[in-house]
Amino acid sequence: MADRFDLSTPSERWLWKKDTLKEPTLLQSFAFDEVNQHLYVLQLRRGGGPAGDLFLNRLDYRGKRLGHMELRGFGHGVGIGVQHASDGTVWIWTEADAKGGYGRGVTRLRFSDGAVRTREDVKIRHPIPGSTHNQPSVCTASRRIALRHRLDGEPRYRVWDLDAFVAGDYADPVADFPQTGLHPDPDVPFQGFALHGDRLYQLAGTAYHAKKNPAARRGNAYLSCLDARTGELLDRRRTEAGHSLDHREPEGLAVRHGSGARLCLGLGSGPEGARRFSIYFKPGEA
């Protein structure tokens, strides 16, 4: 498969200023179910940040919400993945076992509209003992799973074969390396990542701010690409996607496979209490 996106290619708009999530809060991450043409989006429940309470939304590819679930005590929602099992089951991977609002492990669950899940309802995995801020991304093409996490406060990535990970075999990861190359300014926060073959893409940036990040400069969001085997920084580019949005906060990164791969970037907009989301993309190689 073609596993390298040209980050210098201008982004194209796909979804624009949608307000169809369960809550009027920012999206945190998203992932695609290409088989069923569903878009899954995680967002924080209003006031649920400290407890790690989330809503998992299922949308169609026009951005219409088809249902939602409530996940109590799971985390901040920074990472999500979709897995298609051999029996046809669609599994959603998320962080879980929140402490201080972030997951100390991960889990997978099946979507059930209107359902409420707590940590007692799912099998929580702790593949990296002592880690915090666990956030998954699944590459459906290579059948691998990546876990961003923190050890002793430092962010790292670990990548496994997905079947081995599901079986609970965490001893032989494909790769294990520190997070590097995120942004020219080390104080600018991480906002999402996506595993795609032997590449791992990262997103960093903040919302517009009159002094620190004025809209006139079209934002401080950066996309970067790492070698998912070694952690080497391969490319990093500033992106002006959605620069006309108000607020414009980068949130979430995902890859669409199907007919032509796309690297998709999420952007939040609108005032607090009435947030909307937009998704832009960079096309893959022909």
Side-chain angles (χ1 to χ4, degrees):
M1 73 176 182
D3 62 356
R4 178 79 178 268
F5 292 97
D6 184 354
L7 300 185
S8 67
T9 301
S11 299
E12 301 178 37
R13 190 168 74 192
W14 181 47
L15 297 177
W16 178 248
K17 292 186 178 180
K18 296 295 182 179
D19 62 352
T20 49
L21 300 182
K22 170 60 178 174
E23 294 265 68
T25 59
L26 289 168
L27 82 162
Q28 295 294 324
S29 61
F30 59 98
F32 296 96
D33 174 0
E34 291 288 349
V35 174
N36 299 294
Q37 299 283 282
H38 289 152
L39 171 65
Y40 288 95
V41 179
L42 283 172
Q43 64 175 156
L44 286 169
R45 182 177 61 79
R46 279 180 289 188
D53 294 342
L54 301 168
F55 278 113
L56 171 61
N57 299 265
R58 182 161 70 183
L59 293 77
D60 65 20
Y61 278 6
R62 297 182 302 275
K64 177 184 177 182
R65 180 161 51 90
L66 305 175
H68 70 275
M69 294 179 66
E70 187 173 354
L71 309 179
R72 296 179 181 171
F74 276 57
H76 201 74
V78 181
I80 184 174
V82 172
Q83 174 197 355
H84 294 98
S86 58
D87 63 359
T89 301
V90 178
W91 293 98
I92 312 299
W93 286 90
T94 74
E95 63 187 284
D97 191 22
K99 183 177 181 180
Y102 290 86
R104 293 176 291 181
V106 295
T107 191
R108 66 176 188 170
L109 51 87
R110 287 171 287 189
F111 185 86
S112 178
D113 185 24
V116 178
R117 297 286 184 266
T118 68
R119 67 189 73 196
E120 287 76 23
D121 300 321
V122 295
K123 175 184 176 181
I124 299 175
R125 302 164 185 261
H126 296 92
I128 308 169
S131 64
T132 62
H133 295 66
N134 284 255
Q135 297 141 6
S137 176
V138 173
C139 175
T140 57
S142 64
R143 291 195 59 78
R144 292 176 180 171
I145 184 170
L147 203 63
R148 182 182 181 269
H149 58 284
R150 288 181 177 269
L151 276 176
D152 299 322
E154 296 299 321
R156 299 184 62 88
Y157 292 105
R158 199 171 292 190
V159 182
W160 289 268
D161 172 83
L162 182 57
D163 291 334
F165 192 89
V166 170
D169 180 6
Y170 312 129
D172 190 23
V174 175
D176 181 5
F177 52 87
Q179 176 181 288
T180 55
L182 187 62
H183 196 282
D185 182 349
D187 292 329
V188 170
F190 168 87
Q191 298 285 11
F193 78 106
L195 179 66
H196 181 54
D198 288 332
R199 304 290 182 260
L200 189 148
Y201 295 89
Q202 305 178 119
L203 174 65
T206 59
Y208 283 151
H209 184 279
K211 294 183 179 180
K212 298 179 181 179
N213 185 27
R217 297 180 184 173
R218 300 191 172 188
N220 62 6
Y222 271 78
L223 291 166
S224 55
C225 176
L226 304 181
D227 187 313
R229 299 160 295 186
T230 65
E232 176 189 0
L233 177 64
L234 302 176
D235 194 12
R236 183 172 64 197
R237 304 276 179 160
R238 182 169 164 265
T239 174
E240 296 184 358
H243 63 81
S244 65
L245 291 165
D246 60 326
H247 185 74
R248 189 188 180 262
E249 185 169 357
E251 294 281 357
L253 202 59
V255 172
R256 277 191 67 180
H257 297 286
S259 56
R262 296 177 174 184
L263 178 64
C264 299
L265 157 70
L267 294 165
S269 62
E272 185 174 359
R275 300 295 195 201
R276 295 171 179 258
F277 74 93
S278 301
I279 294 178
Y280 280 71
F281 70 90
K282 292 183 182 295
E285 299 174 6

